């Protein structure tokens, strides 16, 4: 329980008495007795007194009534510097502001109805909304994480079951093989044993017959029988000798499959749990405080836009011919080029035009996009997959399989957009989970680009630029005879669209939903069969690629 508010004047006389009112001007409590003279005195007659209960609601709100520099009471207000000051501040820092100095009380009049308070309330309310939205987003992310955890647990359990079933099957097969092998070897042993037992019985019979002949038969019978039996006994002895001259002995053992041996020896974990981290910026809605501090952004006008050539770079041909189908500007300022007619590599150049390295890929690359500072995604056309590659380690960290051929791809807000023939624009996360499929005719679409809320692509046969919402609803289209056989398209943060015409040899800039357009580059500027264009929003750079050999780096001004 909070301690009681004491009456200031009574406390001055060492009397402890609870206050009933609070003077916001004196910043002191008053009991009912002391309140009367306070209100009757001319100097304090106009002071604002409030109930102690109301004061309790604002007592913890920090308000500095004294100057931090001089410790004096704040009594004046400088309109020029928009700050309260004390009498000592005036000669020290505000001598030249005399025309803009007014009493603080005058400046504070109607403060509750002021736009400053309204703006503050607006900012506070918006900030709370932003926090709540961010909390909801994190809660949704947590739920998504829980879903992922359940999915992974099911996957582990299912995989374990599959492995168990496979091992059970292999065990049954091995035991059957053991039984068959044992029975075969045993049968061979038993066959010889049976033969020897048969001969033994016959020899024993000869033994009995010989003994009987010796006891009861005449000499003639003994003589003839001895002669005949000798032949038969010698025949059986010979049979025994042949049977035991080369006896096979079998030793049954087991040899584990190399894969099982490796499992027992080398495999030290069932699987590894991997975490893919992506950084996102949560939009902070309209806050008045930000608007007061930041200058308004002026949208670039298509009529005033021009391009300043920074560098023309000649690309090394590494195959029988060349066809540049992909390009981007890396975070270090280097250029990365995809030549689909060359070898299975991506070409990295610095902005001075020097070849830095050849980055090996799994097939002929078609299009490439920048995921973050260290990762890119590459499409391979008819190969029907996309690879996410670590630029530092030059390894594929994930392969995203698709049902049909994939050409143009784009990346925005943690999602990959892929132009898949026969399906439309397939939206995936970086793990490969298909989030959505936007149905549209992209039979002649080789390149797409995206912003936060829009998707842009070109039908090269119809020479038409399309813009649709993130759910696939067409917003506008652009078609003009000045643009022929276009494939390359890019967009800046202001939704200005840049397109190149492969056969018209030009670069156009579109604005206001294609209602306004301007040709920025022509064949006279070196544009010859241009295929791709890329916009770098951090440095306002535009990369334009001809089909063969040359790319141009411009600064957009």
């Amino acid at each position: 329980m909070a301690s009681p508010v004491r009456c200031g004047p009574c406390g001055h006389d060492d009397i402890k008495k609870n206050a009933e009112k609070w003077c916001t001007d004196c910043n002191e409590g008053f009991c009912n007795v002391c309140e009367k003279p306070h209100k009757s005195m001319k100097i304090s007659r106009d002071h604002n007194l409030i109930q102690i209960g109301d004061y309790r609601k604002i007592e913890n709100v920090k308000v500095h009534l004294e100057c931090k520099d001089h410790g004096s009471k704040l009594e004046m207000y400088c309109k020029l510097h928009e700050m309260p000051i004390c009498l000592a501040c005036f000669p020290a820092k505000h001598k030249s502001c005399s025309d803009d100095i007014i009493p603080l009380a005058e400046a504070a009049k109607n403060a509750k109805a002021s736009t400053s308070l309204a703006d503050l309330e607006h900012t506070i309310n918006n900030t709370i909304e932003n926090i709540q939205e961010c909390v909801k987003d994190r809660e949704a992310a947590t739920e998504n994480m829980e879903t992922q955890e359940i999915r992974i647990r099911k996957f582990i359990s299912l995989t374990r079951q599959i492995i168990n079933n496979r091992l059970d099957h292999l065990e049954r097969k091995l035991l059957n093989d053991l039984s068959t092998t044992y029975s075969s070897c045993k049968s061979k042993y038993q066959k010889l044993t049976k033969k020897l037992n048969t001969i033994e019985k016959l020899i024993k019979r000869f033994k009995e017959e010989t003994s009987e002949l010796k006891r009861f038969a005449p000499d003639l019978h003994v003589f003839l029988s001895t002669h005949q039996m000798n032949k038969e006994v010698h025949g059986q002895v010979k049979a025994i000798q042949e049977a035991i001259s080369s006896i096979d002995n079998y030793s049954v053992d087991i040899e584990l499959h190399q894969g099982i041996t490796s499992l027992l020896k080398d495999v030290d974990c069932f699987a590894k749990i991997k975490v893919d981290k992506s950084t996102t910026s949560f939009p902070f809605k309209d806050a008045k405080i930000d608007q007061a501090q930041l200058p308004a952004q002026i949208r670039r006008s298509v009529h005033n836009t021009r391009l300043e050539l920074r560098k023309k770079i000649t690309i090394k041909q590494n195959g029988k011919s060349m066809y540049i189908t992909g390009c981007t500007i890396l975070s270090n300022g280097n250029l990365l080029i995809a030549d689909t007619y060359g070898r299975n590599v991506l070409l990295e150049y610095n902005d001075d035009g020097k070849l830095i390295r050849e980055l090996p890929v799994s097939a002929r690359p078609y299009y490439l996009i920048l995921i973050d500072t260290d990762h890119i995604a590459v499409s391979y056309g008819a190969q029907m997959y996309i690879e996410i590659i670590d630029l530092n380690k030059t390894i594929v960290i994930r392969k995203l399989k698709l049902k049909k051929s994939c050409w143009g791809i784009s990346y925005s807000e943690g999602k990959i957009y892929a132009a898949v023939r026969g399906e439309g624009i397939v939206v995936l996360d970086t793990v490969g989970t298909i989030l959505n499929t936007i149905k549209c005719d992209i039979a002649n679409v080789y390149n797409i680009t995206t912003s936060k809320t829009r998707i842009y692509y070109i039908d090269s046969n119809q020479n038409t630029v399309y813009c649709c919402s993130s759910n696939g609803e067409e917003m506008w289209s652009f078609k003009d005879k000045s643009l022929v056989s276009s494939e390359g398209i890019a967009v800046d943060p202001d939704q200005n669209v840049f397109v190149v015409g492969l056969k018209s040899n030009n670069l156009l800039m579109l604005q206001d939903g294609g209602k306004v357009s301007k040709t920025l580059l022509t064949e006279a500027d070196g544009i010859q069969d241009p295929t791709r264009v890329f916009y770098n929003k951090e440095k306002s750079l535009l990369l334009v690629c001809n089909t063969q050999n040359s790319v141009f780096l411009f600064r957009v001004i």
Side-chain angles (χ1 to χ4, degrees), residues 218-238:
D219 288 342
L220 179 60
H221 283 188
V222 172
F223 174 77
L224 292 174
S225 295
T226 301
H227 182 73
Q228 292 170 3
M229 285 185 184
N230 268 331
K231 286 185 177 181
E232 290 188 25
V233 170
H234 281 299
Q236 294 301 323
V237 170
K238 187 175 180 181

Side-chain angles (χ1 to χ4, degrees), residues 19 80 99 108 173 417 459 500:
L80 181 64
D99 294 337
K173 182 180 177 183
Y417 296 78
D459 186 320
V500 290

Side-chain angles (χ1 to χ4, degrees), residues 299-315:
R299 188 185 182 197
R300 177 185 291 117
S301 168
V302 66
H303 300 295
N304 297 329
T305 300
R306 61 187 182 88
L307 302 180
E308 179 184 82
L309 180 62
R310 296 281 296 274
K311 192 72 177 181
K312 177 183 178 182
I313 299 172
T314 301
I315 303 300

